[in-house]
Amino acid sequence: MLVVGLLALGSTAAGVAGYADLAHAERQARFVCPDGERFSVAVHADHVRLRSGDGVFTLAQTADGRFQSADVALQLEHDRSLVAREGESPKTCALSRDAV
């Protein structure tokens, strides 16, 4: 049920590309987790761009409609998301109107 994977894009160029990617997103959403973590996603046809305090990450869409990369799994459902990072328990995060 979870998709695992997340690749960090650590350069300034990657950050700029992340902003450009937002302009082409099909939809965008922000989430807040029970532990206080906040992140946003820009959803595209075949991937999502996840932006958090740790950086900007690209997660590929899997055949079952979830998103993943090497360290993070993300499942989006209406007003919540299920996110799991390698070595951590999955957590359900709620849709938020607050900035990340």
Side-chain angles (χ1 to χ4, degrees):
M1 193 167 219
L2 293 178
V3 183
V4 177
L6 191 67
L7 299 175
L9 302 176
S11 71
T12 302
V16 170
Y19 284 112
D21 200 47
L22 291 176
H24 298 92
E26 293 177 8
R27 63 187 170 144
Q28 298 175 40
R30 294 182 292 255
F31 296 92
V32 62
C33 304
D35 63 2
E37 177 184 1
R38 295 180 179 277
F39 63 91
S40 64
V41 294
V43 180
H44 299 270
D46 62 350
H47 71 282
V48 298
R49 184 70 56 108
L50 185 146
R51 180 182 303 278
S52 71
D54 294 330
V56 179
F57 308 93
T58 301
L59 286 73
Q61 187 170 22
T62 64
D64 61 2
R66 296 180 182 109
F67 300 92
Q68 75 176 28
S69 70
D71 303 320
V72 174
L74 179 67
Q75 181 177 341
L76 299 173
E77 297 179 4
H78 304 291
D79 62 348
R80 63 189 172 115
S81 66
L82 182 61
V83 63
R85 289 182 176 82
E86 189 169 324
E88 296 180 11
S89 296
K91 56 187 169 184
T92 300
C93 305
L95 193 61
S96 172
R97 295 186 188 269
D98 297 332
V100 173

Coordinates of all heavy atoms in Angstrom, one line a residue:
M1 N 0.8 -1.2 0.0 CA 0.0 0.0 0.0 C 0.9 1.3 0.0 O 0.4 2.3 -0.4 CB -0.9 0.0 1.2 CG -2.0 1.0 1.2 SD -3.2 0.6 2.4 CE -4.7 1.0 1.4
L2 N 2.1 1.1 0.4 CA 3.0 2.3 0.4 C 4.0 2.2 -0.7 O 4.3 1.1 -1.1 CB 3.7 2.4 1.8 CG 2.9 2.6 3.0 CD1 3.8 2.6 4.2 CD2 2.2 4.0 2.8
V3 N 4.4 3.3 -1.1 CA 5.4 3.4 -2.2 C 6.7 3.9 -1.5 O 6.6 4.9 -0.8 CB 4.9 4.3 -3.3 CG1 6.0 4.3 -4.4 CG2 3.6 3.8 -3.8
V4 N 7.8 3.3 -1.8 CA 9.0 3.8 -1.1 C 9.9 4.5 -2.1 O 10.2 4.0 -3.2 CB 9.7 2.6 -0.5 CG1 11.0 3.1 0.2 CG2 8.9 2.0 0.6
G5 N 10.4 5.7 -1.7 CA 11.3 6.3 -2.6 C 11.3 7.8 -2.6 O 10.2 8.4 -2.5
L6 N 12.4 8.5 -2.5 CA 12.5 9.9 -2.6 C 14.0 10.3 -2.9 O 14.8 9.8 -2.2 CB 12.1 10.5 -1.3 CG 11.9 12.0 -1.3 CD1 10.7 12.4 -2.2 CD2 11.6 12.5 0.1
L7 N 14.2 11.0 -3.9 CA 15.6 11.5 -4.2 C 15.7 12.9 -4.0 O 14.9 13.7 -4.5 CB 15.9 11.1 -5.7 CG 15.8 9.7 -6.1 CD1 16.0 9.5 -7.6 CD2 16.8 8.9 -5.3
A8 N 16.7 13.3 -3.2 CA 17.0 14.7 -3.0 C 17.6 15.4 -4.1 O 18.5 14.9 -4.8 CB 17.9 14.9 -1.7
L9 N 17.1 16.6 -4.4 CA 17.7 17.5 -5.4 C 18.4 18.6 -4.7 O 17.8 19.6 -4.4 CB 16.7 18.0 -6.4 CG 15.9 16.9 -7.1 CD1 14.7 17.6 -7.9 CD2 16.7 16.1 -8.0
G10 N 19.7 18.5 -4.5 CA 20.4 19.4 -3.6 C 21.0 20.7 -4.1 O 21.5 21.5 -3.4
S11 N 20.9 20.9 -5.4 CA 21.6 22.1 -6.0 C 20.6 23.2 -6.1 O 19.4 23.0 -6.1 CB 22.2 21.7 -7.3 OG 21.2 21.5 -8.3
T12 N 21.1 24.4 -6.3 CA 20.3 25.6 -6.6 C 19.6 25.4 -7.9 O 18.4 25.7 -8.0 CB 21.2 26.8 -6.7 OG1 21.9 26.9 -5.4 CG2 20.4 28.0 -6.9
A13 N 20.2 24.8 -8.9 CA 19.5 24.6 -10.1 C 18.3 23.7 -10.0 O 17.3 23.9 -10.6 CB 20.5 24.0 -11.1
A14 N 18.4 22.7 -9.1 CA 17.3 21.8 -8.8 C 16.2 22.6 -8.2 O 15.0 22.3 -8.4 CB 17.7 20.6 -8.0
G15 N 16.5 23.5 -7.3 CA 15.5 24.3 -6.6 C 14.8 25.2 -7.6 O 13.5 25.3 -7.6
V16 N 15.5 25.8 -8.5 CA 14.9 26.6 -9.5 C 14.0 25.7 -10.4 O 12.8 26.1 -10.8 CB 15.9 27.3 -10.4 CG1 15.3 28.0 -11.6 CG2 16.7 28.3 -9.5
A17 N 14.4 24.6 -10.8 CA 13.6 23.7 -11.6 C 12.4 23.3 -10.9 O 11.3 23.1 -11.5 CB 14.4 22.4 -11.9
G18 N 12.5 23.2 -9.5 CA 11.3 22.8 -8.7 C 10.2 23.9 -8.8 O 9.0 23.6 -8.9
Y19 N 10.6 25.2 -8.8 CA 9.7 26.3 -8.9 C 9.0 26.3 -10.3 O 7.8 26.5 -10.5 CB 10.3 27.6 -8.7 CG 10.5 27.8 -7.2 CD1 11.8 27.9 -6.7 CD2 9.5 28.0 -6.3 CE1 12.0 28.1 -5.3 CE2 9.7 28.2 -5.0 CZ 10.9 28.3 -4.5 OH 11.1 28.5 -3.1
A20 N 9.8 26.0 -11.4 CA 9.3 26.0 -12.7 C 8.3 24.9 -12.9 O 7.3 25.0 -13.6 CB 10.5 25.9 -13.7
D21 N 8.6 23.8 -12.2 CA 7.7 22.6 -12.3 C 6.4 22.9 -11.7 O 5.4 22.3 -12.2 CB 8.4 21.5 -11.5 CG 7.9 20.1 -11.9 OD1 7.8 19.8 -13.1 OD2 7.5 19.3 -11.0
L22 N 6.2 23.8 -10.8 CA 4.9 24.2 -10.2 C 4.0 24.8 -11.2 O 2.8 24.5 -11.2 CB 5.1 25.1 -9.0 CG 5.8 24.6 -7.8 CD1 6.0 25.7 -6.8 CD2 5.0 23.5 -7.2
A23 N 4.6 25.5 -12.2 CA 3.7 26.2 -13.2 C 3.1 25.2 -14.1 O 2.0 25.4 -14.7 CB 4.6 27.1 -14.0
H24 N 3.6 24.0 -14.2 CA 3.1 22.9 -15.1 C 2.3 21.8 -14.3 O 1.9 20.9 -14.9 CB 4.2 22.3 -15.9 CG 4.9 23.3 -16.8 ND1 6.0 24.0 -16.4 CD2 4.6 23.8 -18.0 CE1 6.3 24.8 -17.3 NE2 5.5 24.7 -18.3
A25 N 2.1 22.0 -13.0 CA 1.5 21.0 -12.2 C 0.0 21.0 -12.5 O -0.6 22.0 -12.8 CB 1.6 21.3 -10.7
E26 N -0.6 19.8 -12.5 CA -2.0 19.6 -12.7 C -2.8 20.1 -11.5 O -3.9 20.6 -11.6 CB -2.3 18.1 -13.0 CG -1.8 17.6 -14.3 CD -2.0 16.2 -14.5 OE1 -2.8 15.5 -13.7 OE2 -1.5 15.7 -15.5
R27 N -2.2 19.9 -10.3 CA -2.8 20.4 -9.0 C -1.7 20.5 -8.0 O -0.6 19.8 -8.1 CB -3.9 19.5 -8.6 CG -3.6 18.1 -8.2 CD -4.8 17.3 -7.9 NE -4.3 15.9 -7.9 CZ -4.7 15.0 -7.1 NH1 -5.7 15.3 -6.3 NH2 -4.2 13.8 -7.0
Q28 N -1.9 21.2 -7.0 CA -1.0 21.4 -5.9 C -1.7 21.3 -4.6 O -2.9 21.6 -4.5 CB -0.3 22.8 -5.9 CG 0.5 23.0 -7.2 CD 1.0 24.4 -7.3 OE1 1.5 24.9 -6.3 NE2 1.0 25.0 -8.5
A29 N -1.0 20.8 -3.5 CA -1.6 20.6 -2.2 C -0.6 20.7 -1.2 O 0.6 20.4 -1.4 CB -2.4 19.3 -2.1
R30 N -1.0 21.2 0.0 CA -0.1 21.2 1.2 C -0.7 20.3 2.3 O -1.9 20.2 2.5 CB 0.0 22.7 1.7 CG 0.7 23.6 0.7 CD 0.8 25.0 1.2 NE -0.5 25.6 1.3 CZ -1.0 26.6 0.5 NH1 -0.2 27.0 -0.5 NH2 -2.2 27.1 0.7
F31 N 0.2 19.7 3.0 CA -0.1 18.8 4.1 C 0.6 19.1 5.4 O 1.7 19.6 5.4 CB 0.2 17.4 3.7 CG -0.6 16.9 2.5 CD1 -0.1 17.1 1.2 CD2 -1.9 16.4 2.6 CE1 -0.9 16.7 0.1 CE2 -2.6 16.0 1.6 CZ -2.1 16.1 0.3
V32 N 0.0 18.8 6.5 CA 0.6 18.8 7.8 C 0.4 17.5 8.5 O -0.7 16.9 8.4 CB 0.0 20.0 8.7 CG1 -1.4 19.9 8.9 CG2 0.8 20.2 9.9
C33 N 1.4 17.0 9.1 CA 1.4 15.7 9.8 C 1.3 15.8 11.3 O 1.6 16.9 11.8 CB 2.7 14.9 9.4 SG 3.0 14.8 7.7
P34 N 0.8 14.8 12.0 CA 0.7 14.8 13.4 C 1.9 15.2 14.2 O 1.8 15.8 15.2 CB 0.2 13.4 13.8 CG -0.3 12.8 12.5 CD 0.4 13.5 11.4
D35 N 3.1 14.9 13.6 CA 4.4 15.3 14.3 C 4.8 16.7 14.0 O 5.9 17.1 14.3 CB 5.5 14.3 13.9 CG 5.8 14.2 12.5 OD1 5.2 15.0 11.7 OD2 6.7 13.4 12.1
G36 N 4.0 17.4 13.2 CA 4.3 18.8 12.9 C 5.0 19.0 11.5 O 5.2 20.1 11.1
E37 N 5.4 17.9 10.9 CA 6.0 18.0 9.6 C 5.0 18.7 8.6 O 3.8 18.4 8.6 CB 6.5 16.7 9.0 CG 7.1 16.8 7.6 CD 7.4 15.4 7.0 OE1 7.2 14.4 7.7 OE2 7.9 15.4 5.9
R38 N 5.5 19.5 7.7 CA 4.7 20.1 6.7 C 5.4 19.9 5.3 O 6.6 20.0 5.2 CB 4.6 21.6 6.9 CG 3.8 22.0 8.1 CD 3.7 23.5 8.3 NE 3.0 23.8 9.5 CZ 1.7 23.8 9.6 NH1 1.0 23.6 8.5 NH2 1.0 24.1 10.7
F39 N 4.6 19.6 4.3 CA 5.2 19.5 3.0 C 4.1 19.9 2.0 O 2.9 19.9 2.3 CB 5.7 18.1 2.7 CG 4.7 17.0 2.8 CD1 4.1 16.6 1.6 CD2 4.4 16.3 4.0 CE1 3.1 15.6 1.7 CE2 3.5 15.3 4.0 CZ 2.9 14.9 2.9
S40 N 4.6 20.2 0.7 CA 3.6 20.4 -0.4 C 4.0 19.5 -1.5 O 5.1 19.0 -1.6 CB 3.7 21.9 -0.8 OG 5.0 22.1 -1.4
V41 N 3.0 19.2 -2.3 CA 3.2 18.4 -3.5 C 2.6 19.1 -4.7 O 1.6 19.8 -4.7 CB 2.5 17.0 -3.4 CG1 3.2 16.2 -2.3 CG2 1.0 17.1 -3.1
A42 N 3.3 19.0 -5.8 CA 2.8 19.4 -7.1 C 2.6 18.2 -7.9 O 3.6 17.4 -8.2 CB 3.8 20.4 -7.8
V43 N 1.4 17.9 -8.3 CA 1.0 16.6 -9.0 C 1.0 16.8 -10.5 O 0.4 17.7 -11.0 CB -0.4 16.2 -8.5 CG1 -0.8 14.8 -9.2 CG2 -0.4 16.0 -7.0
H44 N 1.7 15.9 -11.1 CA 1.9 15.9 -12.6 C 1.3 14.5 -13.1 O 1.0 13.7 -12.3 CB 3.3 16.0 -13.0 CG 3.9 17.4 -12.6 ND1 3.8 18.5 -13.3 CD2 4.5 17.7 -11.4 CE1 4.4 19.5 -12.7 NE2 4.8 19.0 -11.5
A45 N 1.2 14.3 -14.4 CA 0.7 13.1 -14.9 C 1.4 11.9 -14.5 O 0.8 10.8 -14.2 CB 0.7 13.2 -16.5
D46 N 2.7 11.9 -14.4 CA 3.5 10.7 -14.1 C 4.4 10.8 -12.9 O 5.2 9.9 -12.6 CB 4.3 10.3 -15.3 CG 5.4 11.4 -15.7 OD1 5.3 12.5 -15.2 OD2 6.2 11.1 -16.6
H47 N 4.4 11.9 -12.2 CA 5.2 12.1 -11.0 C 4.6 13.2 -10.1 O 3.7 13.9 -10.5 CB 6.7 12.4 -11.3 CG 6.8 13.8 -11.9 ND1 6.5 14.2 -13.2 CD2 7.3 15.0 -11.3 CE1 6.8 15.4 -13.4 NE2 7.2 16.0 -12.3
V48 N 5.2 13.3 -8.9 CA 4.9 14.4 -8.0 C 6.2 15.0 -7.6 O 7.2 14.4 -7.5 CB 4.1 14.1 -6.7 CG1 2.7 13.5 -7.0 CG2 4.8 13.2 -5.8
R49 N 6.2 16.3 -7.4 CA 7.3 17.1 -6.8 C 6.9 17.4 -5.4 O 6.0 18.1 -5.1 CB 7.5 18.3 -7.7 CG 8.8 19.1 -7.3 CD 10.1 18.5 -7.6 NE 10.2 18.1 -9.0 CZ 11.0 18.7 -9.9 NH1 11.8 19.7 -9.6 NH2 11.0 18.3 -11.1
L50 N 7.7 16.8 -4.4 CA 7.4 17.0 -3.0 C 8.4 18.0 -2.5 O 9.6 17.9 -2.7 CB 7.5 15.7 -2.3 CG 7.2 15.7 -0.8 CD1 6.5 14.4 -0.4 CD2 8.4 15.9 0.1
R51 N 7.9 19.1 -1.8 CA 8.8 20.1 -1.2 C 8.6 20.1 0.3 O 7.4 20.2 0.8 CB 8.4 21.5 -1.8 CG 9.3 22.6 -1.2 CD 8.9 23.9 -1.8 NE 8.9 24.0 -3.2 CZ 10.0 24.2 -4.0 NH1 11.2 24.4 -3.4 NH2 10.0 24.2 -5.3
S52 N 9.6 19.9 1.0 CA 9.6 19.9 2.5 C 10.8 20.7 3.1 O 11.6 21.2 2.3 CB 9.6 18.4 3.0 OG 10.9 17.9 2.9
G53 N 10.9 20.7 4.4 CA 12.0 21.4 5.0 C 13.3 20.7 4.6 O 14.4 21.3 4.8
D54 N 13.3 19.5 4.1 CA 14.5 18.7 3.8 C 14.9 19.0 2.3 O 16.0 18.5 1.9 CB 14.2 17.2 4.0 CG 14.0 16.9 5.4 OD1 14.6 17.6 6.3 OD2 13.3 15.9 5.7
G55 N 14.1 19.6 1.5 CA 14.4 19.9 0.1 C 13.3 19.6 -0.8 O 12.1 19.5 -0.4
V56 N 13.6 19.5 -2.1 CA 12.7 19.2 -3.2 C 13.0 17.8 -3.7 O 14.1 17.5 -4.0 CB 12.8 20.3 -4.3 CG1 11.8 20.0 -5.4 CG2 12.5 21.7 -3.7
F57 N 11.9 17.0 -3.8 CA 12.1 15.6 -4.2 C 11.1 15.3 -5.4 O 10.0 15.7 -5.4 CB 11.9 14.7 -3.1 CG 12.7 15.1 -1.8 CD1 12.1 15.9 -0.9 CD2 14.0 14.6 -1.7 CE1 12.8 16.3 0.2 CE2 14.7 15.0 -0.6 CZ 14.1 15.8 0.4
T58 N 11.6 14.4 -6.3 CA 10.7 13.9 -7.3 C 10.4 12.5 -7.1 O 11.3 11.6 -6.9 CB 11.4 14.1 -8.7 OG1 11.7 15.4 -8.9 CG2 10.5 13.6 -9.8
L59 N 9.1 12.1 -7.0 CA 8.6 10.8 -6.8 C 7.9 10.3 -8.1 O 7.0 11.0 -8.6 CB 7.7 10.7 -5.6 CG 8.3 10.8 -4.3 CD1 8.7 12.2 -3.9 CD2 7.3 10.3 -3.2
A60 N 8.3 9.2 -8.6 CA 7.6 8.6 -9.8 C 6.3 7.9 -9.5 O 6.2 7.3 -8.4 CB 8.6 7.7 -10.5
Q61 N 5.4 8.0 -10.4 CA 4.1 7.3 -10.2 C 4.3 5.8 -10.5 O 5.0 5.4 -11.5 CB 3.0 7.9 -11.1 CG 1.7 7.3 -10.8 CD 0.6 8.0 -11.5 OE1 0.8 8.7 -12.5 NE2 -0.6 7.9 -10.9
T62 N 3.7 5.0 -9.7 CA 3.8 3.5 -9.9 C 2.5 3.1 -10.7 O 1.6 3.8 -10.8 CB 3.8 2.8 -8.6 OG1 2.6 3.0 -7.8 CG2 5.1 3.2 -7.8
A63 N 2.5 1.8 -11.0 CA 1.3 1.3 -11.8 C 0.0 1.3 -11.0 O -1.0 1.5 -11.6 CB 1.6 -0.2 -12.2
D64 N 0.1 1.3 -9.7 CA -1.1 1.4 -8.8 C -1.5 2.8 -8.4 O -2.4 3.0 -7.6 CB -1.0 0.5 -7.6 CG 0.2 0.9 -6.7 OD1 0.8 1.9 -7.0 OD2 0.4 0.2 -5.7
G65 N -0.8 3.8 -9.0 CA -1.2 5.2 -8.8 C -0.6 5.9 -7.6 O -0.8 7.0 -7.3
R66 N 0.3 5.2 -6.9 CA 1.0 5.8 -5.8 C 2.3 6.4 -6.4 O 2.6 6.3 -7.5 CB 1.3 4.7 -4.7 CG 0.1 4.2 -4.1 CD 0.3 3.1 -3.1 NE -0.9 2.6 -2.6 CZ -1.4 1.4 -2.9 NH1 -0.7 0.6 -3.6 NH2 -2.5 1.1 -2.4
F67 N 3.1 7.1 -5.5 CA 4.3 7.7 -5.9 C 5.5 7.2 -5.0 O 5.3 7.0 -3.8 CB 4.2 9.2 -5.8 CG 3.0 9.8 -6.6 CD1 1.8 9.9 -6.1 CD2 3.3 10.1 -7.9 CE1 0.7 10.4 -6.9 CE2 2.2 10.5 -8.7 CZ 1.0 10.7 -8.2
Q68 N 6.6 7.1 -5.6 CA 7.8 6.6 -4.9 C 9.1 7.0 -5.5 O 9.2 7.4 -6.6 CB 7.7 5.0 -4.8 CG 8.1 4.4 -6.2 CD 8.1 2.9 -6.0 OE1 7.4 2.3 -5.2 NE2 9.0 2.2 -6.8
S69 N 10.1 6.9 -4.6 CA 11.5 6.9 -5.1 C 12.2 6.0 -4.1 O 11.6 5.1 -3.5 CB 12.0 8.3 -5.1 OG 12.2 8.9 -3.8
A70 N 13.5 6.2 -3.9 CA 14.3 5.2 -3.1 C 14.0 5.2 -1.6 O 14.0 4.2 -1.0 CB 15.8 5.6 -3.3
D71 N 13.6 6.4 -1.0 CA 13.4 6.4 0.4 C 12.1 6.8 0.9 O 11.8 6.7 2.1 CB 14.4 7.5 1.0 CG 15.8 7.2 0.6 OD1 16.2 6.0 0.7 OD2 16.5 8.2 0.3
V72 N 11.2 7.2 0.0 CA 9.8 7.7 0.5 C 8.7 7.1 -0.4 O 8.9 7.0 -1.6 CB 9.8 9.3 0.4 CG1 8.4 9.8 0.7 CG2 10.8 9.9 1.3
A73 N 7.6 6.9 0.3 CA 6.4 6.4 -0.3 C 5.3 7.5 -0.1 O 5.2 8.0 1.0 CB 6.0 5.1 0.2
L74 N 4.5 7.7 -1.1 CA 3.4 8.7 -0.9 C 2.2 8.2 -1.6 O 2.2 7.8 -2.8 CB 3.9 10.1 -1.5 CG 2.8 11.2 -1.5 CD1 2.6 11.6 0.0 CD2 3.3 12.4 -2.3
Q75 N 1.1 8.3 -0.9 CA -0.2 8.0 -1.4 C -1.1 9.1 -1.1 O -1.2 9.6 0.0 CB -0.8 6.7 -0.8 CG -2.1 6.3 -1.3 CD -2.6 5.0 -0.7 OE1 -1.9 4.2 -0.1 NE2 -3.9 4.8 -0.8
L76 N -1.8 9.7 -2.2 CA -2.7 10.8 -2.0 C -4.1 10.4 -2.1 O -4.5 9.6 -2.9 CB -2.4 11.8 -3.2 CG -1.0 12.4 -3.2 CD1 -0.8 13.2 -4.5 CD2 -0.7 13.2 -2.0
E77 N -4.9 10.9 -1.1 CA -6.3 10.6 -1.0 C -7.1 11.8 -0.6 O -6.9 12.3 0.5 CB -6.6 9.5 0.0 CG -6.0 8.2 -0.3 CD -6.2 7.1 0.7 OE1 -7.0 7.4 1.7 OE2 -5.7 6.0 0.6
H78 N -7.9 12.4 -1.5 CA -8.7 13.6 -1.3 C -8.1 14.6 -0.3 O -7.4 15.5 -0.7 CB -10.1 13.2 -0.8 CG -10.8 12.2 -1.8 ND1 -11.2 12.6 -3.0 CD2 -11.0 10.9 -1.7 CE1 -11.7 11.6 -3.7 NE2 -11.6 10.5 -2.9
D79 N -8.4 14.5 1.0 CA -7.9 15.5 2.0 C -6.8 15.0 2.9 O -6.6 15.6 3.9 CB -9.1 16.0 2.8 CG -9.8 14.9 3.6 OD1 -9.5 13.7 3.4 OD2 -10.6 15.2 4.5
R80 N -6.2 14.0 2.5 CA -5.1 13.4 3.3 C -4.0 12.7 2.4 O -4.3 12.5 1.3 CB -5.6 12.5 4.4 CG -6.2 11.3 3.9 CD -6.9 10.5 5.0 NE -7.7 9.4 4.4 CZ -7.5 8.2 4.6 NH1 -6.5 7.8 5.4 NH2 -8.2 7.2 4.1
S81 N -2.9 12.5 3.0 CA -1.9 11.7 2.3 C -1.3 10.7 3.3 O -1.3 10.9 4.5 CB -0.8 12.6 1.8 OG -0.1 13.2 2.9
L82 N -0.8 9.6 2.8 CA 0.0 8.7 3.6 C 1.4 8.7 3.1 O 1.7 8.5 1.9 CB -0.6 7.3 3.4 CG 0.0 6.1 4.2 CD1 -0.2 6.4 5.7 CD2 -0.7 4.8 3.8
V83 N 2.3 9.0 4.0 CA 3.7 9.1 3.7 C 4.5 8.2 4.6 O 4.3 8.1 5.8 CB 4.2 10.6 3.7 CG1 4.1 11.2 5.1 CG2 5.6 10.8 3.2
A84 N 5.5 7.6 4.0 CA 6.4 6.7 4.7 C 7.8 6.9 4.2 O 8.0 6.9 3.0 CB 6.0 5.2 4.6
R85 N 8.7 7.0 5.1 CA 10.1 7.1 4.7 C 10.8 5.8 5.2 O 10.4 5.3 6.2 CB 10.8 8.3 5.4 CG 10.3 9.6 4.7 CD 11.0 10.8 5.3 NE 10.6 12.0 4.7 CZ 9.4 12.7 4.9 NH1 8.6 12.3 5.8 NH2 9.1 13.8 4.2
E86 N 11.8 5.4 4.5 CA 12.5 4.2 4.9 C 13.0 4.3 6.3 O 13.6 5.3 6.7 CB 13.7 4.0 3.9 CG 14.4 2.7 4.1 CD 15.4 2.4 3.0 OE1 15.1 2.7 1.9 OE2 16.4 1.8 3.4
G87 N 12.7 3.3 7.1 CA 13.2 3.2 8.5 C 12.2 3.9 9.4 O 12.5 4.0 10.6
E88 N 11.1 4.5 9.0 CA 10.1 5.2 9.8 C 8.7 4.5 9.6 O 8.5 4.0 8.6 CB 10.0 6.6 9.5 CG 11.3 7.4 9.7 CD 11.1 8.9 9.3 OE1 10.0 9.3 9.1 OE2 12.1 9.6 9.3
S89 N 7.9 4.7 10.6 CA 6.5 4.2 10.5 C 5.7 5.2 9.6 O 6.0 6.4 9.6 CB 5.8 4.2 11.9 OG 6.4 3.3 12.7
P90 N 4.8 4.6 8.8 CA 4.0 5.5 7.9 C 3.2 6.5 8.8 O 2.8 6.2 9.9 CB 3.1 4.5 7.2 CG 3.6 3.2 7.5 CD 4.5 3.2 8.7
K91 N 2.8 7.6 8.2 CA 2.0 8.6 8.9 C 1.0 9.2 7.9 O 1.3 9.4 6.8 CB 2.8 9.6 9.6 CG 3.8 10.4 8.7 CD 4.6 11.3 9.5 CE 5.7 11.9 8.7 NZ 6.7 12.7 9.4
T92 N -0.2 9.5 8.5 CA -1.2 10.1 7.7 C -1.2 11.6 8.0 O -1.2 12.0 9.1 CB -2.6 9.5 8.1 OG1 -2.6 8.1 7.8 CG2 -3.7 10.2 7.3
C93 N -1.2 12.4 6.9 CA -1.1 13.8 7.1 C -2.3 14.4 6.4 O -2.8 13.9 5.5 CB 0.2 14.3 6.3 SG 1.7 13.5 6.9
A94 N -2.8 15.5 7.0 CA -4.0 16.2 6.6 C -3.7 17.3 5.7 O -2.7 18.0 5.8 CB -4.8 16.7 7.8
L95 N -4.7 17.6 4.8 CA -4.6 18.7 3.9 C -4.6 20.0 4.7 O -5.3 20.1 5.7 CB -5.8 18.7 2.9 CG -5.8 19.6 1.7 CD1 -4.7 19.2 0.8 CD2 -7.2 19.4 1.0
S96 N -3.8 20.9 4.3 CA -3.6 22.2 5.0 C -3.7 23.4 4.1 O -3.3 23.3 3.0 CB -2.3 22.2 5.8 OG -2.0 23.4 6.4
R97 N -4.2 24.5 4.6 CA -4.2 25.7 3.8 C -3.0 26.6 4.2 O -2.8 27.6 3.5 CB -5.5 26.5 4.1 CG -6.7 25.7 3.6 CD -8.0 26.6 3.7 NE -9.1 25.8 3.4 CZ -9.7 25.7 2.2 NH1 -9.1 26.3 1.2 NH2 -10.8 25.0 2.0
D98 N -2.3 26.2 5.2 CA -1.1 27.0 5.6 C 0.1 26.7 4.7 O 0.2 25.6 4.1 CB -0.7 26.6 7.0 CG -1.7 26.9 8.1 OD1 -2.5 27.9 7.8 OD2 -1.8 26.2 9.1
A99 N 1.0 27.7 4.6 CA 2.2 27.5 3.8 C 3.1 26.5 4.4 O 3.1 26.3 5.6 CB 2.9 28.9 3.6
V100 N 3.9 25.9 3.6 CA 4.9 24.9 4.0 C 6.0 25.6 4.7 O 6.5 26.6 4.3 CB 5.4 24.1 2.9 CG1 6.6 23.2 3.3 CG2 4.3 23.3 2.3

